[in-house]
C-alpha cells in the first residue's frame, strides 16, 4: 500500500538546519531555526532548569498517570504566569499540553466543534494554518503586516475582521509576532477587544514567546487585557522558549468561560481532544516548570535568566538597526529596534535569501525571516553588508 504514497514537501526550516550543518565555511551564520542562542551560539539548559531537574530526581516517587489535563499543580501554577494575579481565575481552566503546538492543536480541535472558520494573520507561523487545516477549519487570512513600513497594518487588519461572522475563531499572536516581530500597541489591542466583543468573535491567543519582548508581565498584557474584557476566549501558551525546554514539550491550553460551570464543560471537551490525540501530556518539562514556579527563590532566578535572554535580543536589535543606519544612511531598518522577540522579516526576496545562503553562508528562511538571536555581536556588520549587497 505504501507505494501509493508521495513524500510530503520538505519542511523549509528543517531543510535549512541540514543545509547549514553540511556547510563547511567557518564564518557561516545560522539565522534559520527558531531557538534562542547565547553569545557563543549555544542553546543552553538554564541553571534553574538544571536545579529543578535535580530536585525532581531526588523527590519524585512515582511516574504513574496524571489525567488528560496533566499535573493539576502545574495547571494551578501556570495560570497566574499567563493571566496575572488579578485573573478571573474561577472562569479559567488550564490543561498541560505537549508544547504550544499541542495546545493549539487541542484548542483548534475543540473550536471546530463550535465554529467552521478561523482567521489567521498574513503572515503567520506556518503551523497555524497546518493545524487549522488538520482540524478541518476553513482558513481565512487577515492582512497584518505592511511590508512597506515593516509595521502592523492595523486599519487593514480591523477592516478584514469587521467582515468576520459571529462565532468565527480569530488567531492572534499575544506578543513577539512570528515571523514579523511586529506587535499591536496597547491602544490597538484595546480597539481589537471592542471589535471582538461587538462582532462576537472567539479569540485564540498564541503566547509562545512570553518574556522575550518587553518582559514577562508586559508580554502578557494583551492576553490579560482580553481576559478582563471578553466573555470567552482560548489561549495556547508555550514553555519551550522562555524555559528553554524545547524538546521536553511543555505548554498549556486555557479556556476562559462566561461562568465557572461553562468553563468546566469546555475544559472537559478540550480534554476529549487530548484523549484522542496523545491521551496525556509528557510530564518531565511540566514538573520542572512547576518546581520553578512554586519556589520563590528559583522563580526569581529563572526570571533573571529569562531577562538575560531578553536583553541580549534587545541589544542585538539595537546593534542591527544602528549598523544598518551607518551603512545605508537611512532609518529604513529602525523597525528592527521597534519590533519584538526573536524574529523579523529583513525584506529580502526568495532569490536574495538564496544568494545570502550561497554567497555569504547566511542561512535565513526563504521569506526573509531572521532569528536575531542567531547573530553574534561581531557578525552584525558582516550580516548588514551582505543584506545591503544582495538587495543592490
Ligand atoms: C508562534 C508560535 N506558536 C507556537 C509555537 C509552538 O512551540 P512549541 O510547540 O515548541 O512549544 C511556536 C514555535 O516555534 C511558534 O513560533
Amino acid at each position: 500500500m505504501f507505494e501509493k504514497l508521495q513524500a510530503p514537501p520538505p519542511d523549509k526550516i528543517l531543510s535549512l538546519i541540514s543545509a547549514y550543518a553540511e556547510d563547511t565555511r567557518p564564518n557561516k551564520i545560522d539565522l534559520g531555526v527558531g531557538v534562542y542562542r547565547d553569545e557563543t551560539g549555544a542553546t543552553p539548559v538554564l541553571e534553574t532548569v538544571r536545579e529543578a531537574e535535580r530536585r525532581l530526581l531526588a523527590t519524585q516517587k512515582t511516574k504513574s498517570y496524571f489525567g488528560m489535563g496533566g499535573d493539576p499543580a502545574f495547571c494551578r501554577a501556570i495560570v497566574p504566569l499567563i493571566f496575572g494575579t488579578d485573573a478571573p481565575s474561577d472562569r479559567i481552566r488550564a490543561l498541560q499540553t505537549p508544547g504550544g503546538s499541542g495546545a493549539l492543536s487541542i484548542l483548534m480541535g475543540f473550536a471546530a466543534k463550535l465554529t467552521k472558520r478561523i482567521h489567521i494573520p498574513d503572515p503567520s507561523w506556518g503551523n497555524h494554518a497546518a493545524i487549522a487545516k488538520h482540524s478541518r477549519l476553513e482558513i481565512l487570512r487577515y492582512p497584518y503586516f505592511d511590508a512597506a513600513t515593516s509595521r502592523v497594518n492595523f486599519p487593514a487588519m480591523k477592516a478584514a475582521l469587521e467582515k468576520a461572522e459571529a462565532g468565527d475563531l480569530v488567531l492572534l499572536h499575544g506578543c513577539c509576532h512570528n515571523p514579523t516581530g511586529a506587535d499591536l500597541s496597547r491602544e490597538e489591542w484595546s480597539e481589537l477587544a471592542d471589535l471582538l466583543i461587538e462582532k462576537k468573535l472567539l479569540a485564540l491567543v498564541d503566547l509562545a514567546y512570553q518574556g522575550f519582548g518587553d518582559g514577562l508581565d508586559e508580554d502578557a498584557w494583551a492576553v490579560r487585557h482580553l481576559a478582563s474584557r471578553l466573555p470567552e476566549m482560548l489561549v495556547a501558551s508555550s514553555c519551550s522558549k522562555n524555559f528553554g525546554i524545547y524538546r521536553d514539550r511543555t505548554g498549556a491550553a486555557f479556556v476562559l468561560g462566561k461562568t465557572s460551570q461553562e468553563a468546566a464543560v469546555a475544559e472537559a471537551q478540550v480534554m476529549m481532544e487530548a484523549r484522542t490525540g496523545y491521551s496525556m501530556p509528557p510530564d518531565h518539562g511540566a514538573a520542572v516548570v512547576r518546581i520553578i514556579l512554586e519556589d520563590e527563590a528559583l522563580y526569581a532566578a529563572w526570571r533573571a535568566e529569562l531577562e538575560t535572554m531578553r536583553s541580549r535580543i534587545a541589544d542585538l536589535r539595537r546593534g542591527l538597526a544602528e549598523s544598518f543606519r551607518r551603512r545605508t544612511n537611512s532609518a529604513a531598518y529602525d523597525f528592527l529596534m521597534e519590533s519584538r522577540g526573536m524574529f523579523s522579516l529583513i525584506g529580502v526576496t526568495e532569490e536574495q535569501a538564496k544568494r545570502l545562503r550561497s554567497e555569504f553562508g547566511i542561512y535565513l528562511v526563504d521569506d526573509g525571516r531572521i532569528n536575531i538571536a542567531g547573530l553574534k555581536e561581531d557578525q552584525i556588520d558582516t550580516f548588514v553588508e551582505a543584506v545591503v549587497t544582495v538587495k543592490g
Side-chain angles (χ1 to χ4, degrees), residues 157-226:
M157 171 179 176
K158 252 184 86 176
L161 293 179
E162 294 275 1
K163 296 194 197 108
E165 287 168 17
D168 283 359
L169 191 60
V170 180
L171 186 115
L172 301 160
H173 294 231
C175 70
C176 306
H177 183 271
N178 179 7
T180 70
D183 290 336
L184 301 187
S185 67
R186 290 189 177 186
E187 293 70 32
E188 288 166 343
W189 276 114
S190 182
E191 264 187 64
L192 182 66
D194 294 339
L195 189 152
L196 294 168
I197 293 165
E198 189 198 316
K199 292 278 162 191
K200 298 188 167 47
L201 306 175
L202 180 59
L204 165 54
V205 185
D206 182 6
L207 193 64
Y209 297 93
Q210 187 190 9
F212 273 42
D214 289 319
L216 204 55
D217 292 312
E218 292 83 348
D219 291 349
W221 188 90
V223 165
R224 294 175 190 177
H225 180 75
L226 294 182

Side-chain angles (χ1 to χ4, degrees), residues 98-101 104 125 128 173 178 206 208-209 238 240-241 249-250:
S101 304
L104 286 164
W125 180 50
H128 284 148
H173 294 231
N178 179 7
D206 182 6
Y209 297 93
S238 168
S240 301
K241 327 280 164 158
R249 311 309 300 134
T250 308

